Each structure stands twice: as structure tokens, then as C-alpha cells.
Amino acid sequence: MVDKKESGKSYSSKNIKVLEGLEGVRHRPAMYIGSTSKNGLHHLVYEVVDNSVDEAMAGYCDKIEVTLNKNGSVTVKDNGRGIPVEPHPIYKKPALEIAITKLHAGGKFDKGTYAVSGGLHGVGISVVSALSKHMIAKVRRNGKIYQQEYKIGKTLCNLKIVGKTDKDDTGTEITFFPDDTIFPTTEFDFNVLQTRFREIAFLNKGVRIILKEEKTGKKETFHYEGGLEEFVKWVNKTKDALHKPIYFTKTNNGVVVEVAVQYNSGYQENVLGFVNTINTVEGGTHVVGFKTALTRAINDYSNKNKMTKNGNLTGDDVREGLTAIISVKVPEPQFEGQTKTKLGNSEVKGIVDSVSMVSLSEFFEENPTIARRIVNKALDSQKARNAAKKAKDLVRRKSAFGGSGLPGKLADCSKKKSEETEIYIVEGDSAGGSAKQARNNQFQAILPLRGKPLNVEKASPIKVFSNEEISNLITAIGTGVGEQFDAQKLRYSKIIIMADADVDGAHIKTLLLTFFFRFMPELIKNGNIYIAVSPLYRVRKRGDHYVYSDEELKEIKKKLGENASVLRFKGLGEMDPEQLWDTTMNPKTRMLKKVTIEDVVQADEVFSKLMGDDVSARKQFIAERSAEAQIDI
Ligand code: 0RA
């Protein structure tokens, strides 16, 4: 910025720091890849893969190989046409070099090349090169193999021909080493990449993505000729499906709409939205359009066939046990919301609504057995919801006699503005008692829970809403659930789960997270849910040191000497209020983990496996993940 005071003679061009092109990317990486954390690091791979997927979607490529190399680099190789190496008409340099060293040149040289392209940021390969300490690009084209190398976005040499190949052998191969001065960790996680590549393969039928890790020899191939139909079956694989998937696709006003729907015998709603293959965690106009059409199409069928009994079915009624995937390709998507994963384009709502309405009605007419099964399921859910409503009203009336309408067990705080307040959900009455003594009652509320929370994954809504602990939780939080959910009514901006650091505690945390994920997912998406991390040990020597893991204990003992006295905390209930305040509740010294949903598909899989009916899936899952101390969703 030019300083206004610094005018006239004293001003010279060297005073302005021009953040031009790739300089800017290194200066503010988060603007281009979201963050420099693990997420951002993996984004580099997606950015390169997205370019190859675009080439595949244009019909020129059917195989993409991603290799995590032993030396820490990643190679993405495709069999597309190869990035052009011919001189760029304006820059008079190989187009490849421009794509890799100039911001926004990307793989999309002119807008006409690809109709739509993936990539949330769509920033292109030059951003990856700017954030890589070394990059090597190889292009097979015209029977020749071309190569060029780069360092933090700058060329190390001119484009060279390094070999010959068959005229029909074409493609692009990019190898990059992420810059460790930008990324605190440069280690790639096979599982994270695999989840995203599976998703990409489902969303782009026919594409084959092969992921290899040299260090471990692990290799996975993702290739689905069935596309979304296979995706919906895969999401339902641990559930009991009620019918073959309903599938339709249509292009309307330049927007490609593709939908797959399959009900299961459970109670959860699982509607996944994608825009240009990006998982829109916060939903948006495409999801709204689909939901509107689904409710209308089911009500129309039910009315026409005289199945309706107690008035029209609500959205909640028709979405119980629903798994649906709505994938749209939009030429110029507008992303909104806190994490920029909510589609804002208003025209898309009407497009998805009309395409879905026509296709669903047609399907119901042609498949009356399935249509009746779906309507009957919605009617059952309507019945249960009415009964649950009566139970909820009863709870509300009971508490109305108590005065505030809040649960009797809640020790509320005196401040009322939710931005300033937090609630601790505490396992057990004894820990609840300590927490009540320890807290700062100005801004910290305590809600003790008796026993294990209900497993909502397996319970019907009526059971969920008539459960006393759950209804206390809902009332204390204030937002309501389902269609009534209203984030404005949130009573505390931080909802902190505090449980013992043992197996039981882990189970309780998972049960509560399952509840939040299924009934108030907005709170997770908005970053309101936290887990309190309590210490395992107190080491006493020259003051008290709280220690959170066995490794940390080893280290501190090395530092302080083996004679230091070590106290192992058995549970939160055993700490005196002062200790509990110091270690777990004082905002200045405590450690909180924010719960996030990086991938809804993955989170759903985790919860259905951990909490659902399929025992063998659960056992296998736990065996595979037992090394990971904590389940990240
Ligand atoms: C624009 C034009 C052409 C190829 C590509 C882009 C292309 C880009 C990437 C990025 C990764 N893999 C890729 N494969 C191809 C080809 C134009 C032509 O040959 O006529």
C-alpha cells in the first residue's frame, strides 16, 4: 500500500512492496489453498489431480496414478493429451512453463477448453509449484518426452527433450516436494487422500485413480463404472437398503444435475451435495432444490394413491432413512458460508427442483412397489414424530412448572450472551459436582450426564426424544433439532464435552459426537463443539506440571529426573476443584480440541461403523484404527 503521507519526492518505486503473482501465493498461502495445515498440504495433491480429472472429463484420459514417493515427494501421472509445450502466443514461452510459473494460467488456457472444472479454489498448478521447493514436469507428446524443473515457482532450466516415446503415448507427469518452510508438516496421509480419490472416482464415472505409497507398498485403485449409483450403495453398505438406487441425470440451462437416491431401514438422513466434485458440507441451493422436490413428489404420490392419513408429510418425515447424493456441475459456482462450502447460485435451486420433480414422479409411476415402500416408511416416521412430539411437549410442560424451562440438573451461568458463554457436558454426577465447584459461574455452565448417553444411531426418533438426558441436552443448548433447528437460539457458543481419558470416556465422547453429528450437524460445521483434553498425570517438582500423554511423561521425567513425584489421575471426579480448573477449565491454561467435519462421507462412515448394527464392520474398523489414539472426524 502506498502511504499517503509519503508523497512527492520522497516516494520511489522501491517503497512499494508489490505482491505480484506467485510471490503473493507464498506470502499468503491460505488465500489459495485454505490453510498451511494438513488440510492445505493435501490440497496441493488435489489441485494437481483436479487438472488430470478435468482432462479425463473432457474425454482424453482414463487413468491417473498418484504415488507417495519414499523421498517425500508426490507424483501425479495421467494419460491425457499432455500439457501443451508449444510456445504460448503472448508469452512466447512453452505453454507448460506458463501454466506452472504464472498465477491463474492453470491448465485451463482458455475458458472454452473445459466446460466446468473441479477444484474449490481452482487456482491451478502454479500455486502448487510456488509452494514446492522442487517440481519436475514431464510431458509425453508428439512422440517426445519433454521435461522442465522448477523451484518455488521459478524455472531452474529451459524445457528440454529428454527422450522419445510412441506417438500414441501421451500424458502429463508432475512431481513436487512441498516446501517445508511453508508447511509445518509435509507428510501425506494415505487415508485422507484415499477418501478424496474414492469420492472423485464415484463422481466421475469411468476414471481410474491409482494411489500408491512406496514406503509401505500400499496400493488402492478407485474406479466405478456405476458412478453415483455405486456411491449411494457404498454409503449404504453397512445399512439395510430398501430398494435399488433411483438414479437420474439431466442438463438444464448449462447446469448438469445428477442424483442418486436409496432409502435404508434406519432413521438417519444422509443427503450429500457436490458442486463440481467439491463436497458442499454446508449444503446450498442444489440441496434445497432436491429436498423441496422430494417432499412434493412423495406427497403427490401418497395423495394420488389415497395413502395419506394425517395430513401432508414433512421434509423430516420423507428424509428418515434417506441416503441421497446430489452432484451438480455449475459453470460459475458461487460459494458462501463459513467454510465456503455452501452453494449460493439461486438459479440452481429451481433447476435441481424441476429436474428432480419430473424424474422422481416418473420413477414412482414406473415402480409402484418401491414408491409404496417409500411412502409407507415416511408415514411410519410421521406417526413416530407425532408421538415424539407429544413426549417432547410433555417434557416441556413438566419443565414449565419448574420455572425457567431449563433442565433441573443444569448449573447455568449468569451471563446471557451466547458469544461470551460456554457449557461443559460432563460425564457422571461426581465429576459434575467437581466441575460445578471449579467453574467460573459467570460464563461457564455445567450439565452433568447420568450414565452412558443413548446411542442415537440405533434408536428411533421417539426413543431419542423421550430420553431424559438427550432432552436435557437439547433444552440446555436451545437451538432445537431437525427442521426447527435455529442457530440464533444457541445459548452457548462453546459446547465442551468433558469425559475421562479412558475407554469409557472415549465411548461417551463418541456417543455425544454421534448425537451432534446426526441431530445438530450445523453446530459441528460452525465450530461450536469442543472436546476438553484432561491430563493423565501431575508431575511435581519445582511446581506442578500437567502431562497429557505417556510420551510427554517420559520426556518430562528425563528433564526433571526420575525422583520427581508422579500422580496418575484416574478420572475427572478425583481431581479437586482447583486442579480441575487449572488443567481443564481455565481458558488461559486448558487444552480444547475443536471438532470439525472434513469430509461428511467419511464422518458418516465412521459413525455408521462405530455405532450401527453391523458388528463385523465395527470390529474390522476398530482393529484397523486401533493405533490411532483418537477418532478424527
Ligand atoms: C489444455 C489443452 C490440452 C491439454 C491440457 C490442457 C492438459 C492439462 C493437464 C493438466 C494435467 N494433465 C493435463 N492434461 C492435459 C491439449 C490441447 C491439444 O493437445 O490440442
Side-chain angles (χ1 to χ4, degrees):
M1 274 284 264
V2 180
D3 191 338
K4 284 202 186 99
K5 279 181 285 181
E6 206 177 299
S7 56
K9 284 174 276 180
S10 65
Y11 173 73
S12 74
S13 64
K14 70 172 190 285
N15 293 93
I16 319 170
K17 195 175 177 201
V18 188
L19 289 180
E20 197 185 27
L22 295 183
E23 285 279 303
V25 177
R26 289 182 64 79
H27 193 67
R28 291 218 241 161
M31 253 183 66
Y32 298 87
I33 53 165
S35 73
T36 55
S37 65
K38 190 171 153 182
N39 247 320
L41 178 75
H42 288 75
H43 199 99
L44 299 181
V45 186
Y46 306 148
E47 203 57 61
V48 181
V49 170
D50 278 344
N51 289 308
S52 300
V53 171
D54 284 346
E55 182 72 356
M57 286 302 95
Y60 299 105
C61 158
D62 64 4
K63 189 167 137 189
I64 303 163
E65 277 179 79
V66 182
T67 311
L68 305 181
N69 301 310
K70 269 200 183 121
N71 61 12
S73 65
V74 182
T75 300
V76 179
K77 181 178 178 186
D78 70 42
N79 64 350
R81 290 169 293 179
I83 300 183
V85 289
E86 296 71 26
H88 187 281
I90 297 163
Y91 294 98
K92 317 274 186 231
K93 280 186 178 164
L96 172 76
E97 179 176 325
I98 303 304
I100 292 183
T101 60
K102 290 266 182 288
L103 190 59
H104 291 305
K108 299 128 208 167
F109 291 93
D110 57 281
K111 261 199 159 176
T113 311
Y114 305 121
V116 285
S117 101
L120 176 54
H121 305 277
V123 285
I125 202 167
S126 62
V127 166
V128 181
S129 85
L131 302 175
S132 294
K133 58 183 181 188
H134 189 189
M135 181 185 271
I136 306 155
K138 265 189 194 177
V139 170
R140 302 183 314 286
R141 214 175 139 85
N142 317 323
K144 297 188 179 78
I145 304 172
Y146 301 85
Q147 182 172 311
Q148 191 170 29
E149 300 191 33
Y150 319 84
K151 181 180 176 177
I152 57 170
K154 300 189 173 85
T155 56
L156 284 174
C157 54
N158 286 332
L159 183 72
K160 285 187 280 221
I161 295 173
V162 295
K164 271 197 251 174
T165 185
D166 203 276
K167 253 205 151 351
D168 306 323
D169 175 31
T170 58
T172 305
E173 182 182 322
I174 305 283
T175 300
F176 67 93
F177 292 75
D179 187 341
D180 52 14
T181 65
I182 301 261
F183 298 95
T185 163
T186 53
E187 213 172 305
F188 291 97
D189 182 330
F190 193 92
N191 284 326
V192 170
L193 293 172
Q194 130 166 313
T195 302
R196 176 66 189 144
F197 294 157
R198 183 184 295 118
E199 214 164 80
I200 293 175
F202 277 130
L203 293 164
N204 298 285
K205 69 174 106 177
V207 175
R208 186 185 304 273
I209 305 180
I210 302 156
L211 174 63
K212 287 192 274 192
E213 186 174 50
E214 277 190 345
K215 196 172 63 190
T216 55
K218 267 201 270 188
K219 180 180 168 186
E220 289 286 342
T221 300
F222 306 100
H223 173 229
Y224 306 100
E225 287 299 343
L228 287 200
E229 278 173 90
E230 274 192 76
F231 196 172
V232 87
K233 281 203 248 174
W234 185 85
V235 174
N236 271 340
K237 71 182 181 301
T238 58
K239 297 158 196 164
D240 172 27
L242 296 187
H243 57 89
K244 64 178 187 211
I246 304 171
Y247 172 82
F248 50 88
T249 179
K250 238 179 224 142
T251 305
N252 190 331
N253 276 308
V255 176
V256 185
V257 181
E258 203 184 349
V259 176
V261 176
Q262 188 183 47
Y263 281 86
N264 63 63
S265 64
Y267 306 104
Q268 301 309 331
E269 162 187 340
N270 203 352
V271 177
L272 303 171
F274 294 88
V275 176
N276 302 351
T277 82
I278 301 306
N279 185 182
T280 41
V281 177
E282 297 174 273
T285 49
H286 55 324
V287 173
V288 174
F290 167 76
K291 286 183 176 176
T292 310
L294 182 77
T295 309
R296 194 150 24 94
I298 292 181
N299 271 307
D300 281 3
Y301 190 89
S302 174
N303 290 330
K304 217 159 107 192
N305 291 281
K306 314 238 173 317
M307 296 173 78
T308 308
K309 292 184 189 100
N310 291 306
N312 268 354
L313 297 157
T314 66
D316 277 342
D317 294 334
V318 303
R319 292 196 301 272
E320 207 173 274
L322 167 73
T323 300
I325 295 159
I326 298 105
S327 168
V328 293
K329 305 246 164 83
V330 182
E332 282 184 44
Q334 244 98 59
F335 290 106
E336 303 173 345
Q338 254 174 343
T339 53
K340 291 267 172 280
T341 56
K342 180 176 183 179
L343 183 69
N345 303 51
S346 56
E347 73 282 4
V348 175
K349 177 180 180 295
I351 294 174
V352 178
D353 182 342
S354 75
V355 167
S356 303
M357 185 64 198
V358 170
S359 307
L360 286 169
S361 307
E362 226 169 71
F363 181 91
F364 292 156
E365 287 310 321
E366 285 164 15
N367 299 272
T369 321
I370 297 176
R372 291 189 152 267
R373 209 175 290 159
I374 291 172
V375 173
N376 279 325
K377 178 164 176 78
L379 289 169
D380 281 351
S381 120
Q382 183 186 41
K383 232 188 289 173
R385 202 174 309 280
N386 285 340
K389 189 171 177 302
K390 280 190 193 130
K392 259 197 282 184
D393 288 345
L394 207 66
V395 173
R396 211 172 294 143
R397 242 174 297 137
K398 256 197 286 180
S399 53
F401 286 115
S404 69
L406 291 168
K409 287 181 16 167
L410 173 75
D412 209 1
C413 51
S414 50
K415 288 198 176 175
K416 293 287 168 238
K417 279 196 195 136
S418 69
E419 308 88 75
E420 298 172 2
T421 62
E422 47 191 52
I423 183 170
Y424 274 80
I425 300 164
V426 186
E427 163 193 4
D429 284 329
S430 82
S434 306
K436 281 182 197 176
Q437 290 178 51
R439 68 173 174 152
N440 177 327
N441 65 10
Q442 298 255 307
F443 68 96
Q444 291 179 316
I446 310 292
L447 181 69
L449 293 182
R450 189 165 2 99
K452 288 264 167 84
L454 181 74
N455 179 356
V456 299
E457 191 71 23
K458 284 207 226 166
S460 68
I462 177 143
K463 216 170 151 198
V464 173
F465 293 119
S466 50
N467 179 280
E468 192 173 332
E469 305 298 309
I470 299 271
S471 78
N472 283 346
L473 195 57
I474 297 174
T475 326
I477 289 173
T479 55
V481 294
E483 270 174 7
Q484 273 84 47
F485 180 90
D486 181 357
Q488 298 295 322
K489 294 198 178 135
L490 182 63
R491 302 186 62 249
Y492 314 93
S493 59
K494 285 199 174 73
I495 297 165
I496 303 165
I497 302 173
M498 183 161 76
D500 283 340
D502 57 11
V503 179
D504 269 350
H507 192 206
I508 286 168
K509 279 177 218 163
T510 322
L511 287 163
L512 284 171
L513 288 179
T514 310
F515 167 76
F516 286 121
F517 180 64
R518 294 300 187 194
F519 288 85
M520 301 175 172
E522 293 84 353
L523 295 184
I524 303 186
K525 289 168 200 167
N526 295 340
N528 297 114
I529 311 282
Y530 295 82
I531 291 175
V533 186
S534 52
L536 293 177
Y537 305 98
R538 186 196 63 202
V539 178
R540 183 164 273 179
K541 188 175 181 183
R542 286 178 255 123
D544 287 344
H545 309 267
Y546 294 104
V547 175
Y548 293 84
S549 71
D550 287 308
E551 291 92 80
E552 208 188 322
L553 180 67
K554 257 190 229 151
E555 264 172 46
I556 200 159
K557 273 187 172 172
K558 245 191 255 160
K559 230 177 17 199
L560 297 178
E562 290 286 340
N563 43 2
S565 80
V566 177
L567 170 75
R568 191 192 161 93
F569 295 117
K570 289 212 197 76
L572 296 165
E574 283 175 38
M575 289 190 203
D576 58 46
E578 200 182 324
Q579 281 173 348
L580 194 59
W581 169 254
D582 284 345
T583 61
T584 328
M585 296 182 72
N586 180 354
K588 296 215 172 82
T589 51
R590 73 186 171 192
M591 205 149 84
L592 293 183
K593 268 194 199 174
K594 191 187 261 190
V595 178
T596 59
I597 305 183
E598 265 150 43
D599 189 291
V600 182
V601 181
Q602 165 109 15
D604 173 71
E605 194 197 1
V606 169
F607 285 122
S608 10
K609 279 192 181 166
L610 275 179
M611 298 294 158
D613 295 319
D614 189 336
V615 180
S616 69
R618 174 161 55 235
K619 280 196 177 146
Q620 192 194 339
F621 182 83
I622 292 172
E624 279 170 14
R625 305 287 176 101
S626 58
E628 294 168 37
Q630 142 110 26
I631 301 148
D632 289 316
I633 56 165

